[in-house]
Every structure is written in C-alpha cells, then in structure tokens.
C-alpha cells in the first residue's frame, strides 16, 4: 500500500510503499536507511508532484528504541553546524547507521560534494548534503508555508523526536489512552480534530479531547 511518511528531522512528506501501515518504517537515503514516521495514507500529499515511491520496511523494536539516541546525537551536531553552511538549512536527518543527512536549499551549481567531505572531517561521521530546492518552502500540500524560521523549526523537530505536533495533536506512533483502551496513534485529521488510534488489532477514530497521553508538554 502507498502511505505518506515523514523522515525523522525532515519537514517534508514523501510516499512510501509497505505491506501494512505501521507507526515507524525504514526508508533508503544517501547514507543508508533512515527512520520515518507514518503520516497518513497517500491523500496526505494532495498537490504533491513528486511521485517517486520509496521502498519501506517496518522498523524493528530495537531500532525504534535507538531513535532517541540518534536524535539526541543529531541535535548536538546541529549546534556545531552554526556558521558552517552557506545555504539555508531546512532539515537534519540522523541515519540508522549514525550518519547525518543535511537538507538545504541550494543552487544547482553549488558544489555540495566538496562541502560534504569538509563537514565529515569536522563532525567525524558520514555527512550527506541534499538540496531540496524551493519545494521545501511550499509545504507538502502545495500551499504556501508559514513565514517561520525553517532552521529553528528543523532543530525543534529533532529535539521533539519528529514529527512535530501542531495544534496539540499527539505524534504519530506515540502511545495514548482512549475510551476504547490504550493504543498507538495511527494518524490525525485536523479538519474535525480527531485521531485514528490502533487498539489491539483494530483502529478507532477518537476525538482529540478524549485522548490522554503521557508525553511531556501534552
């Protein structure tokens, strides 16, 4: 099936193919596999022109448990990047193997590969620079993005364990308690402020106000 996913540390949505929708998947990247969170079915990418399909596999329990360490490591590297990049930073993606993929808005003539080698030496780990172009400024649905500081938002997503939680919604894959029992957030629907929760072998749609989560800041 085709689903929308958001890589940890990225602002963008992409399409992946999996046998079944699961909270976390591993998708390929320039430095190997990266963790990505389920963000809804393919309709979440309304207006998205890039139809490249990413192969995906479910993330193992041990890999999911390691995400907090990878995110903390990447957020520390984010501080070291200050002043090292001549381009606009829009995403910081830690890989499952310990590398860091840096999303920037760069001109096609910029020599990203030369700066990759320099950053890899300075940060002592594999680095890949990826130009996302103006697409990162328009949002995943084709609507104009809000006038926010993209670098600050990217770092906040890392520290929060992406994806972010706009409007008070719990993160995809986070544990919640509902009137139907304890479960895991499967997707959110902003138009009527409801959350699809996986409870056992079933999914139930629950009003946001009826959910209880133990996440900090909720």
């Amino acid at each position: 099936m085709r689903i929308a996913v958001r890589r940890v540390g990225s602002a963008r949505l992409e399409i992946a193919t999996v046998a079944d929708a699961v909270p976390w998947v591993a998708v390929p990247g320039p430095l190997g596999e990266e963790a990505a969170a389920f963000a809804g079915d393919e309709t979440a990418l309304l207006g998205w022109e890039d139809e490249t399909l990413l192969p995906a596999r479910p993330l193992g329990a041990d890999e999911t448990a390691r995400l907090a360490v990878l995110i903390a490591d990447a957020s520390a590297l984010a501080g070291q990047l200050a002043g090292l990049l001549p381009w606009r930073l829009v995403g910081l993606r830690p890989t499952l193997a310990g590398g860091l993929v840096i999303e920037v808005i760069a001109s096609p003539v910029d020599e990203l590969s030369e700066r990759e080698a320099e950053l890899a030496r300075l940060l002592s780990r594999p680095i890949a620079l990826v130009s996302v172009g103006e697409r990162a400024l328009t949002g995943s649905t084709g609507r104009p993005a809000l006038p926010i500081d993209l670098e600050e938002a990217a770092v906040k997503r890392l520290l929060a364990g992406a994806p972010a939680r706009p409007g008070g919604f719990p993160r995809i894959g986070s544990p919640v308690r509902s009137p139907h029992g304890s479960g895991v957030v499967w997707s959110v629907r902003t138009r009527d402020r409801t959350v699809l929760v996986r409870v056992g072998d079933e999914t139930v749609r629950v009003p946001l106000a009826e959910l209880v989560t133990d996440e900090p800041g909720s």
Side-chain angles (χ1 to χ4, degrees):
M1 64 183 297
R2 290 157 56 108
I3 62 172
V5 297
R6 190 189 304 276
R7 298 174 194 255
V8 170
S10 177
R12 299 180 298 141
L13 293 180
E14 298 173 84
I15 298 179
T17 57
V18 291
D20 299 294
V22 291
W24 290 96
V25 297
V27 296
L31 295 177
E33 289 187 316
E34 302 174 37
F38 174 78
D41 62 29
E42 62 184 289
T43 60
L45 282 80
L46 179 64
W48 188 250
E49 296 179 357
D50 186 351
E51 291 296 326
T52 301
L53 294 177
L54 297 170
R57 64 170 179 83
L59 210 61
D62 57 335
E63 293 172 317
T64 304
R66 288 179 51 232
L67 283 178
V69 175
L70 292 176
I71 291 168
D73 187 37
S75 64
L77 292 175
Q80 299 180 47
L81 286 172
L84 296 180
L85 296 175
W87 310 287
R88 183 71 168 177
L89 172 66
V90 294
L92 296 167
R93 296 159 23 196
T95 74
L96 294 177
L100 184 67
V101 180
I102 305 172
E103 294 180 337
V104 296
I105 297 177
S107 166
V109 300
D110 288 331
E111 294 295 333
L112 299 182
S113 59
E114 294 181 4
R115 190 55 64 93
E116 282 178 345
E118 177 185 346
L119 290 172
R121 288 193 298 271
L122 289 172
L123 302 180
S124 300
R125 69 196 56 232
I127 297 292
L129 285 166
V130 175
S131 176
V132 297
E134 294 301 320
R135 183 172 59 188
L137 295 177
T138 60
S140 60
T141 61
R143 295 189 294 269
L146 296 175
I148 59 173
D149 186 315
L150 295 178
E151 180 173 353
E152 179 182 356
V155 173
K156 284 183 177 179
R157 280 192 299 276
L158 272 172
L159 295 174
R165 298 180 298 167
F169 285 96
R171 292 195 296 267
I172 304 299
S174 62
V176 292
R177 284 172 281 159
S178 78
H180 305 277
S182 297
V184 174
V185 174
W186 211 247
S187 66
V188 301
R189 193 162 69 191
T190 57
R191 64 176 180 271
D192 59 2
R193 295 187 66 75
T194 61
V195 178
L196 192 63
V197 179
R198 185 77 171 182
V199 179
D201 295 329
E202 300 181 347
T203 53
V204 292
R205 187 162 294 281
V206 182
L208 178 61
E210 295 182 10
L211 286 180
V212 176
T213 174
D214 297 325
E215 287 192 319
S218 59

